[in-house]
Amino acid sequence: MLGFSAAFTLLLLSGAASAAFGPTIERCPADFKLVRRGQTISASESQYIKERREKAIPDAFKAYSQNVKRTGIELPKYVEEILESTQFPTVGISTSGGGDRAAIFGAGVLNALDGRNSSSVKKGTGGLLQAATHLAGLSGGSWLLTSLVQANFPTIQHLIFGDGHKQDFGGWLTSFSVWTVSTDPAEQAIFVNEVLQEMAVKAKHFPVSVGDAWGRALARHFTNGTTVDTFFSNTSHGAGILFSDFVNLPTIASHEQPFPIIVLDIVSNHINGTIFPGMNGIPLNSPMFEVNIFEMGCYDDVLAAHTPTKHLGTTNESLCVTGFDQAMFISGTSSNLWNELNRTVTNFSLLVNETYPQSPALRLDTSNYPNPFHGIAPDTFSDSGETILSMCDGGEDGQVTPLQPMLVPDRKIDVIIAIDAVDDGGGFAHGASLIATQQRMQIFPGGLATFPAVPTTLEGFANLTTQPTFFGCTPSQEQSAPGPMLVYIANGAPPRDGSPPLTNTSTGQFIYTEPELQGMLAQTFVVATQGAEVDGAPEDPEWAACLACAAVDRARARQGLPRNGVCVTCFTRYCWEA
Ligand SMILES: *[C@@H]1O[C@H](CO)[C@@H](O)[C@H](O)[C@H]1NC(C)=O
Ligand SMILES: *[C@@H]1O[C@H](CO)[C@@H](O)[C@H](O)[C@H]1NC(C)=O
Ligand SMILES: *[C@@H]1O[C@H](CO)[C@@H](O)[C@H](O)[C@H]1NC(C)=O
Ligand SMILES: *[C@@H]1O[C@H](CO)[C@@H](O)[C@H](O)[C@H]1NC(C)=O
Ligand SMILES: *[C@@H]1O[C@H](CO)[C@@H](O)[C@H](O)[C@H]1NC(C)=O
Ligand SMILES: *[C@@H]1O[C@H](CO)[C@@H](O)[C@H](O)[C@H]1NC(C)=O
Ligand SMILES: *[C@@H]1O[C@H](CO)[C@@H](O)[C@H](O)[C@H]1NC(C)=O
Ligand SMILES: *[C@@H]1O[C@H](CO)[C@@H](O)[C@H](O)[C@H]1NC(C)=O
Ligand SMILES: *[C@@H]1O[C@H](CO)[C@@H](O)[C@H](O)[C@H]1NC(C)=O
Ligand SMILES: *[C@@H]1O[C@H](CO)[C@@H](O)[C@H](O)[C@H]1NC(C)=O
């Protein structure tokens, strides 16, 4: 009775959203393990992939193969045989950070690969999304990923624009910015107040920071529970939508969705190392973290440890926390850049601390997680002695395209489709994030798959971002395992037909009109389908075949078959060799 009335009072004081955002603490289940060590994937992930490979992917590859063939380009027999057999390849998709621009460009590429879009099917690129096993997102790319997964894998048009006013998911609501949502000070104050109030229950037992406020603000755009009409209403706005609960979504339960992974960085006081040029945050030698629907953890050999996503917030095996893994808190962590900004001007941090005073030892600019890895790998893990992990945007080390999850050997990825919409200058991507990953792999490759050689300078990327490029076409002979091939699709240049570029908007732009969004999606569609009409002819009528050649190439090599037919000319056209 007492417990009930205490809970009831909390609800009254701080609203439904706050209750839903507040984690609960209970006795741990009997078989609970806080930490799993190693660089292998979890049994749950193995099982998900196994079921996906048995139940969903064979038909997905058959449908994709039909779409490629319908373009009329003659494929070598082996391409068709691999796609339509049980020897099909393992395809992962990584979609970069870069704010809304990256979310939109990434969405445009996913749409071009979506077998449900008839234009994509006609181009012969549609269907590869359905055949992918893994999908990784970071920062703006994590907004795309989280919104897509939690809305139960709708088409991109439904995802971005919603279904009108009645649906749970109102679309990305880009008529509102993220922080400054109204020019009316009174309305803005209501919003700020609500965001702060939503943290009340969590703040009773857990550290809170600007990361929580940021996640609550983002939740209004990227999770169910908000429409244009309810933007300012005192409702839940996606509070209580948990990353670990995604396992219950119909299209996850049926294994129709690629396995979703979000990448995070750590802000550590114990690491000094090379900061990648142009970055001012996290050294390249910092451990990297990921959150998937089953686990949060680190695959780098310096830590190689994982904890259940469902029980994030937990630090021992007696009392277990649930409800900490709020979807937009995690995606908000992956996009938390506040630690890079001038702390004295990040007023929201101060406001949080005024409302919920934090210990002076706590950072207010990071997203804070009770450290489940306390005492683990003390000799190699920088933050083994910390009680709190201070986490931030997954791209702050310079690796803004989330490739590392695809290099976990146990995931056996054959080809990574790397979508890069980072702003490396002028709002376009010039390859910096790939250079960063190449450099990091030289610092500590321990136990990860071989990353294909890429140019070492931005100049070297000059012509590789203006059309898709394949890396790792010819793995070196001495490598026992070749590692994945990379199909690199960059937001790299203005359209070739001379029309004004729409996809190179600033990372700080959060307000977009519907025509702007449609324009960006249309230009991205051209990039991803190599469909620029020049003098009435498409840019590369063989692109669909070339993409299929890349998708099957590692599977081809496994069978000891030579590349032939159109695949030979495709690889001449699209491969970069060191
Ligand atoms: C939201 O609703 C709760 C009751 O559910 C109330 O206590 C709180 O003051 C409301 N907040 C705002 C900003 O209206
Ligand atoms: C298919 O993609 C194109 C290009 O982005 C878009 O214009 C169209 O609306 C999409 N169709 C559907 C049904 O989503
Ligand atoms: C979000 O809403 C969509 C319908 O718009 C629904 O299919 C999906 O299950 C909902 N997701 C969650 C996490 O509630
Ligand atoms: C990192 O460098 C700073 C000064 O540059 C120093 O104070 C600190 O002790 C160093 N930390 C480590 C872990 O080496
Ligand atoms: C276990 O974790 C809970 C919740 O964080 C904490 O209150 C408790 O003191 C911890 N117990 C031990 C034995 O450390
Ligand atoms: C941070 O902001 C304060 C207040 O606007 C200003 O005085 C200070 O120079 C800034 N510091 C940096 C490093 O930009
Ligand atoms: C920051 O917040 C303080 C009060 O917390 C206020 O006095 C100051 O004007 C704010 N500064 C900005 C730049 O909003
Ligand atoms: C947060 O507020 C507390 C209590 O007022 C104060 O001790 C602490 O220094 C503040 N933290 C930061 C990082 O400003
Ligand atoms: C986008 O590219 C065009 C042409 O290169 C350039 O004029 C414009 O300034 C760029 N926009 C942004 C926001 O960088
Ligand atoms: C690279 O692009 C430039 C124009 O940006 C062009 O002049 C040059 O010929 C291209 N080089 C190659 C090898 O295609």
Side-chain angles (χ1 to χ4, degrees), residues 344-348 350-351 354:
T344 59
V345 295
T346 58
N347 250 21
F348 229 107
L350 302 176
L351 210 51
E354 273 169 27

Side-chain angles (χ1 to χ4, degrees), residues 75-368:
L75 290 171
K77 201 100 210 97
Y78 75 79
V79 174
E80 199 176 321
E81 279 171 6
I82 290 170
L83 291 176
E84 299 188 17
S85 73
T86 54
Q87 307 304 309
F88 53 77
T90 302
V91 178
I93 303 177
S94 297
T95 190
S96 83
D100 270 349
R101 176 194 63 251
I104 298 159
F105 184 84
V109 175
L110 296 189
N111 175 60
L113 303 178
D114 192 335
R116 296 169 295 187
N117 184 305
S118 57
S119 313
S120 313
V121 166
K122 205 160 152 240
K123 290 285 183 188
T125 51
L128 199 49
L129 173 63
Q130 278 71 20
T133 50
H134 300 76
L135 176 62
L138 170 167
S139 200
S142 83
W143 304 343
L144 162 63
L145 178 141
T146 306
S147 60
L148 181 68
V149 175
Q150 71 90 46
N152 198 32
F153 214 60
T155 61
I156 293 300
Q157 287 285 321
H158 280 113
L159 179 69
I160 298 182
F161 302 103
D163 281 314
H165 298 261
K166 294 202 191 74
Q167 290 292 314
D168 288 339
F169 188 64
W172 286 358
L173 302 181
T174 55
S175 58
F176 298 100
S177 188
V178 181
W179 274 140
T180 310
V181 297
S182 175
T183 50
D184 170 3
E187 207 169 41
Q188 177 66 18
I190 290 174
F191 166 79
V192 169
N193 248 322
E194 271 181 15
V195 164
L196 286 173
Q197 271 198 37
E198 286 166 14
M199 296 153 58
V201 173
K202 179 174 180 182
K204 286 183 188 294
H205 297 288
F206 295 92
V208 290
S209 71
V210 74
D212 295 271
W214 179 235
R216 293 310 307 138
L218 288 167
R220 286 152 164 81
H221 301 267
F222 299 110
T223 47
N224 288 358
T226 310
T227 63
V228 170
D229 301 334
T230 62
F231 197 89
F232 293 99
S233 77
N234 187 2
T235 51
S236 77
H237 299 295
I241 295 181
L242 306 179
F243 215 79
S244 59
D245 274 352
F246 290 169
V247 297
N248 300 321
L249 287 163
T251 54
I252 294 273
S254 62
H255 308 95
E256 280 166 80
Q257 292 206 40
F259 188 73
I261 306 168
I262 284 183
V263 170
L264 317 174
D265 277 354
I266 185 167
V267 183
S268 174
N269 291 326
H270 313 291
I271 297 173
N272 283 337
T274 314
I275 305 271
F276 189 70
M279 294 287 144
N280 56 4
I282 308 303
L284 261 181
N285 59 330
S286 307
M288 288 172 67
F289 289 79
E290 67 163 57
V291 181
N292 64 52
I293 51 179
F294 301 120
E295 289 186 334
M296 181 271 198
C298 169
Y299 279 96
D300 292 320
D301 54 5
V302 294
L303 176 55
H306 317 270
T307 196
T309 301
K310 182 178 177 185
H311 294 301
L312 270 171
T314 305
T315 53
N316 60 53
E317 291 178 349
S318 351
L319 286 175
C320 273
V321 176
T322 48
F324 192 96
D325 61 318
Q326 302 278 329
M328 283 325 285
F329 175 66
I330 290 170
S331 182
T333 306
S334 183
S335 55
N336 180 351
L337 288 166
W338 298 95
N339 63 307
E340 283 195 356
L341 307 177
N342 183 340
R343 288 215 214 179
T344 59
V345 295
T346 58
N347 250 21
F348 229 107
S349 306
L350 302 176
L351 210 51
V352 170
N353 205 30
E354 273 169 27
T355 319
Y356 310 107
Q358 301 293 300
S359 143
L362 281 169
R363 294 186 69 122
L364 299 175
D365 56 356
T366 53
S367 300
N368 299 327

Side-chain angles (χ1 to χ4, degrees), residues 526-543:
V526 171
V527 170
T529 58
Q530 281 288 285
E533 302 261 325
V534 178
D535 299 332
E539 184 66 29
D540 182 359
E542 290 177 345
W543 167 243

Side-chain angles (χ1 to χ4, degrees), residues 323-521:
F324 192 96
D325 61 318
Q326 302 278 329
M328 283 325 285
F329 175 66
I330 290 170
S331 182
T333 306
S334 183
S335 55
N336 180 351
L337 288 166
W338 298 95
N339 63 307
E340 283 195 356
L341 307 177
N342 183 340
R343 288 215 214 179
T344 59
V345 295
T346 58
N347 250 21
F348 229 107
S349 306
L350 302 176
L351 210 51
V352 170
N353 205 30
E354 273 169 27
T355 319
Y356 310 107
Q358 301 293 300
S359 143
L362 281 169
R363 294 186 69 122
L364 299 175
D365 56 356
T366 53
S367 300
N368 299 327
Y369 293 67
N371 183 4
F373 309 121
H374 186 263
I376 304 282
D379 298 334
T380 50
F381 173 43
S382 56
D383 287 58
S384 182
E386 296 290 338
T387 54
I388 297 289
L389 299 178
S390 306
M391 309 300 287
C392 69
D393 186 291
E396 282 191 53
D397 59 356
Q399 302 186 90
V400 194
T401 306
L403 297 164
Q404 201 248 19
M406 304 300 169
L407 301 174
V408 172
D410 219 10
R411 293 195 168 128
K412 302 186 181 71
I413 306 287
D414 289 317
V415 55
I416 309 170
I417 299 179
I419 306 170
D420 183 356
V422 179
D423 179 358
D424 294 327
F428 289 115
H430 301 306
S433 72
L434 267 54
I435 297 174
T437 295
Q438 173 161 269
Q439 288 185 6
R440 184 177 193 274
M441 291 299 287
Q442 287 156 3
I443 302 172
F444 51 134
L448 295 179
T450 306
F451 185 66
V454 299
T456 54
T457 63
L458 293 182
E459 294 70 40
F461 267 95
N463 290 5
L464 309 178
T465 59
T466 54
Q467 64 167 35
T469 299
F470 303 163
F471 297 102
C473 296
T474 319
S476 85
Q477 292 304 318
E478 57 284 9
Q479 286 157 9
S480 52
M485 234 181 91
L486 204 61
V487 170
Y488 181 54
I489 301 178
N491 179 33
R496 276 181 295 203
D497 67 2
S499 50
L502 303 175
T503 59
N504 65 327
T505 52
S506 137
T507 307
Q509 179 176 340
F510 292 110
I511 297 181
Y512 289 87
T513 63
E514 182 159 346
E516 284 177 296
L517 292 168
Q518 293 291 12
M520 292 173 80
L521 291 171

